[in-house]
Amino acid sequence: MGSFPFTIAGPGVEQDVTAVTTTPGTPVVFATSDGAPSGAYTATETMPTDTSSTGPGTWRMTSAVCNGASVPVVNTPSDQPTSATASYTAVPGSDVSCLFTNSFTPSGSIDIVKTSEGGTGRFEFSVISPNANLEAVGAPAAVTTSPGQPVTASPSITGVSAAPGSRYLIRETLPAPDAGGFWQLASADCGPNSIQVDLRRAGVLVALTPSNPHATCHFVNRYQPYGTLSVVKNTTPDEELRPGEAEIDVACTDGIGGPFSIPAGRGAGDSGIAVIDRNVDCIVTESASGAAEGVAVTTTAELIVDGGPPQSYTLGESFTAELGSDTQLVITNRLQAPSPSPSPSPPPGTPPPGTPPPGADPGDPQPPGSGEGSETPGGDLAVTGSTMTAWALTVAAALLLGGSVLWGASRRSRRRARHDGSP
């Protein structure tokens, strides 16, 4: 659409008129002449200079048809015409009707500059026009060879309209993920042409206008290593201290985690390694230690990120496992058996071991195990039945010997008394 001044010159006549189009593809009548003489006529058109409605670009006369016949057209200069001329000879007695067609080539452009960080790769783009039913206007690609070094994608997008309201959607296709990580769009900036940036979908909406018909968009991609998360549990394999299972539950966003247990007899276990492609928040709890009744359990937990210094963690609290980091939670149970009960104290007044019974001569022989320095303490559970039997026989022999001595002494006393005349 535009305003097209014409000068029509013929035998004895010259007329200046202007054609104003308002709808692309719809012709308008801009000049009439009744009774014009026959002869050669030339129509010279001046191209529009006002680009406020079209944006920058080039107009040219692409065809001229008079009475159904094409006539020669000359655009001057040929690359970016400022004028065009078409000539026709009217024969006597004929009516002449000429249709002039002009086409506009917009000169809007879009350049894409790519920088990759953390790696290199091939990055493909598609550029579509929402104004033209999502028509594709280009598919440039960039191949980076050095991290941090910008590369201009090719081919550039040229010859697109920069008329008011012209918008273009740039979509990026990222390289496929590999075992170590994936690519993501870190930033995109099209300067004054930017309308909307969607980093998650790797898309940018840009506008070309008569005042800003050329857009240069800078895309920065970053190779992002995956993160990992693991939970390790250390406990005791002693089944007397821990006859039951130790049970741990790992609950993270995005459904990552789950319960795991350590059966009796094993000293450690883990959740396995979860690979994460985003930051996740986690809560870890211990529902059972598996310890026997009466066994004291001391639990500690530490977070270790990328092999760094341990950080104290309280079970049941939330922590974040970050993308690109190796996060490990180590839980340790220390189990201690209950202390044995002390031996009961003897009742008050009980004589210490080895004390002779009341009325006994301190010089009398004491039963084995009762004197100081005895090899077998009194009441020791280590004394066996055979030892007790031997001790009993020894006591019996001693009593027999003692009885013999006492009996013999008694007989001697009686004889002495009888000799002395005693009764």
Side-chain angles (χ1 to χ4, degrees):
M1 301 179 297
S3 179
F4 303 85
F6 275 84
T7 298
I8 299 175
V13 63
E14 185 172 308
Q15 183 182 9
D16 292 326
V17 291
T18 300
V20 179
T21 60
T22 57
T23 303
T26 301
V28 296
V29 177
F30 64 94
T32 60
S33 179
D34 294 329
S38 59
Y41 286 84
T42 300
T44 302
E45 177 186 42
T46 301
M47 301 302 170
T49 57
D50 181 4
T51 60
S52 60
S53 63
T54 61
T58 302
W59 282 104
R60 68 177 55 246
M61 184 182 291
T62 53
S63 71
V65 177
C66 294
N67 288 354
S70 296
V71 298
V73 174
V74 177
N75 286 281
T76 306
S78 59
D79 55 344
Q80 292 183 336
T82 57
S83 65
T85 301
S87 300
Y88 180 74
T89 300
V91 297
S94 63
D95 294 328
V96 178
S97 176
C98 293
L99 175 63
F100 302 98
T101 301
N102 289 74
S103 63
F104 179 76
T105 301
S107 60
S109 66
I110 300 173
D111 282 313
I112 299 173
V113 179
K114 163 64 60 184
T115 301
S116 62
E117 298 177 347
T120 59
R122 177 182 174 86
F123 303 86
E124 299 179 348
F125 300 87
S126 61
V127 183
I128 60 177
S129 173
N131 303 84
N133 296 322
L134 301 180
E135 176 187 356
V137 297
V143 178
T144 60
T145 56
S146 298
Q149 295 297 316
V151 174
T152 300
S154 62
S156 295
I157 304 299
T158 59
V160 293
S161 176
S166 296
R167 296 187 175 189
Y168 300 90
L169 178 61
I170 305 173
R171 290 272 193 181
E172 180 179 26
T173 301
L174 301 174
D178 58 25
F182 59 96
W183 285 96
Q184 60 183 1
L185 180 60
S187 66
D189 183 12
C190 297
N193 301 93
S194 292
I195 296 179
Q196 184 178 359
V197 176
D198 188 340
L199 296 180
R200 189 173 67 87
R201 292 188 174 93
V204 179
L205 185 64
V206 300
L208 300 185
T209 65
S211 58
N212 290 295
H214 308 292
T216 299
C217 297
H218 295 269
F219 282 68
V220 177
N221 291 79
R222 181 178 298 119
Y223 181 77
Q224 177 62 64
Y226 293 119
T228 63
L229 170 65
S230 61
V231 178
V232 176
K233 173 66 182 290
N234 296 317
T235 183
T236 178
D238 188 332
E239 296 188 42
E240 291 188 1
L241 293 176
R242 188 177 66 85
E245 287 189 342
E247 298 177 358
I248 300 294
D249 185 64
V250 183
C252 302
T253 51
D254 295 339
I256 296 173
F260 71 95
S261 61
I262 304 172
R266 288 181 54 186
D270 60 71
S271 63
I273 298 176
V275 177
I276 56 176
D277 61 1
R278 68 198 68 190
N279 293 350
V280 295
D281 296 324
C282 301
I283 295 177
V284 177
T285 55
E286 181 180 48
S287 58
S289 67
E293 183 177 356
V295 172
V297 181
T298 302
T299 301
T300 59
E302 294 178 322
L303 280 170
I304 302 173
V305 180
D306 293 333
Q311 307 170 35
S312 179
Y313 169 72
T314 301
L315 292 178
E317 294 187 351
S318 177
F319 67 92
T320 300
E322 296 186 349
L323 178 63
S325 295
D326 295 323
T327 302
Q328 185 180 70
L329 176 63
V330 180
I331 304 169
T332 302
N333 287 140
R334 292 178 174 83
L335 284 71
Q336 183 175 2
S339 302
S341 301
S343 300
S345 301
T350 301
T355 303
D361 189 339
D364 288 346
Q366 301 298 316
S370 62
E372 183 176 354
S374 172
E375 292 296 329
T376 305
D380 194 333
L381 294 178
V383 176
T384 63
S386 60
T387 304
M388 293 293 293
T389 302
W391 182 82
L393 291 175
T394 302
V395 171
L399 291 175
L400 179 62
L401 178 60
S404 300
V405 171
L406 290 175
W407 179 79
S410 176
R411 287 177 59 85
R412 284 193 298 271
S413 293
R414 285 196 295 269
R415 289 173 180 171
R416 188 181 299 113
R418 197 175 295 119
H419 179 76
D420 292 339
S422 301

